[in-house]
Amino acid sequence: MSQQVIAIDGPAASGKSTIAALLAAKLRIPYINTGNMYRAITMYALDSGIDLETKCTNEVFAPLLDTLKLDYIQTASGDYELQVNGILPGLKLRSPEVAAFVSPVATLSFVRDWLKDLQRDSAKPGLIVMEGRDIGTVIFPDAAFKFFLTATPEERARRRLAQDGETFDGATLESVARDIAERDRIDSSRAIAPLKPAADAEIVDTTQMTINEVIDYLARRVNNECS
Ligand code: DC
């Protein structure tokens, strides 16, 4: 039986998070942003004083994750947000400091296995939208729906630069494009669960589409199959 999951994967700044959140709201189902889980682990390590330049290893993260609890909760506004040890970190997860280390942290097998169990458990109650890099390939290879969102590197850099608080002061289109290309390189070339479309995923190039056009398209695809 296929898993009751709408998997949305794709590269950095492809619009996945915005689209996945709005699609889930439109369908009135929960939304899990797995990139935020990797960001929360990275933030927790930095806040715990770990020097991730030199100490980004499974041995460092194994004991650290014993003291970390991550939960997706529905807030009063109806949005789904990630709680980190009972606290909502909000935009801190999107800070450039966290972004600078999250890709190396996401290469660690201990971190990926720890999150895999948590992510699989989240899908038990019913249909959800789950967004990330490996949802259709590794976490839910039998997801009911698999979409892989892309956009050209130039368009992704433009979108990232337009997002408040997500780039260092003085960032330019060129510097943001370089950072995104480096994240793509690490995410796509890592040994475990590299970024790539599942063989049976539908690839949606959003370069020329508005957010609403993408959401309407995905909702139609889901509703057609469910009705
Ligand atoms: O989607 P994002 O930019 O918030 O993701 C942050 C990082 O986490 C990104 O470098 C890749 C990693 N990631 C991953 O490896 N697997 C996922 N399912 C989600 C994110």
Side-chain angles (χ1 to χ4, degrees):
M1 199 190 81
S2 66
Q3 281 278 349
Q4 289 303 292
V5 173
I6 301 170
I8 300 188
D9 290 305
S14 57
K16 296 183 309 292
S17 304
T18 307
I19 284 157
L22 291 169
L23 177 68
K26 187 176 174 105
L27 299 173
R28 296 174 192 278
I29 57 175
Y31 159 57
I32 307 267
N33 172 332
T34 61
N36 275 348
M37 294 170 140
Y38 286 94
R39 287 170 184 265
I41 290 175
T42 306
M43 181 190 79
Y44 188 57
L46 291 170
D47 286 350
S48 305
I50 292 168
D51 176 0
L52 290 176
E53 293 274 8
T54 57
K55 296 212 160 50
C56 192
T57 64
N58 284 319
E59 291 68 30
V60 166
F61 276 84
L64 189 73
L65 295 190
D66 275 345
T67 56
L68 179 63
K69 190 163 179 304
L70 299 181
D71 307 284
Y72 260 99
I73 58 148
Q74 193 170 22
T75 60
S77 62
D79 295 339
Y80 285 84
E81 285 197 40
L82 183 61
Q83 252 188 355
V84 181
N85 283 344
I87 293 167
L88 293 171
L91 283 179
K92 195 171 166 200
L93 289 180
R94 314 293 311 173
S95 72
E97 289 75 18
V98 169
F101 288 106
V102 65
S103 280
V105 169
T107 64
L108 299 175
S109 59
F110 188 88
V111 169
R112 299 206 74 86
D113 284 344
W114 192 84
L115 280 180
K116 189 197 288 175
D117 294 341
L118 202 59
Q119 289 161 1
R120 286 189 175 159
D121 283 348
S122 327
K124 286 183 179 149
L127 187 64
I128 60 164
V129 174
M130 190 175 285
E131 173 241 313
R133 302 290 190 289
D134 60 343
I135 311 307
T137 49
V138 173
I139 306 300
F140 292 111
D142 50 359
F145 302 93
K146 295 185 189 180
F147 300 106
F148 191 89
L149 300 190
T150 61
T152 60
E154 297 74 26
E155 177 60 18
R156 291 195 280 134
R158 257 193 300 277
R159 289 176 187 175
R160 181 51 46 95
L161 199 56
Q163 277 167 325
D164 254 2
E166 295 208 11
T167 48
F168 287 109
D169 288 346
T172 62
L173 201 57
E174 289 69 35
S175 70
V176 174
R178 241 190 343 266
D179 289 350
I180 289 179
E182 177 59 5
R183 284 236 265 142
D184 285 355
R185 189 191 65 73
I186 302 177
D187 293 346
S188 318
S189 61
R190 67 178 173 230
I192 315 166
L195 167 69
K196 63 169 185 200
D200 54 349
E202 178 174 347
I203 297 178
V204 182
D205 184 339
T206 68
T207 308
Q208 306 282 352
M209 296 170 83
T210 64
I211 290 171
N212 280 338
E213 282 169 345
V214 181
I215 292 161
D216 285 347
Y217 176 73
L218 299 185
R220 252 196 332 271
R221 300 278 294 114
V222 171
N223 286 330
N224 282 346
E225 301 250 343
C226 289
S227 56

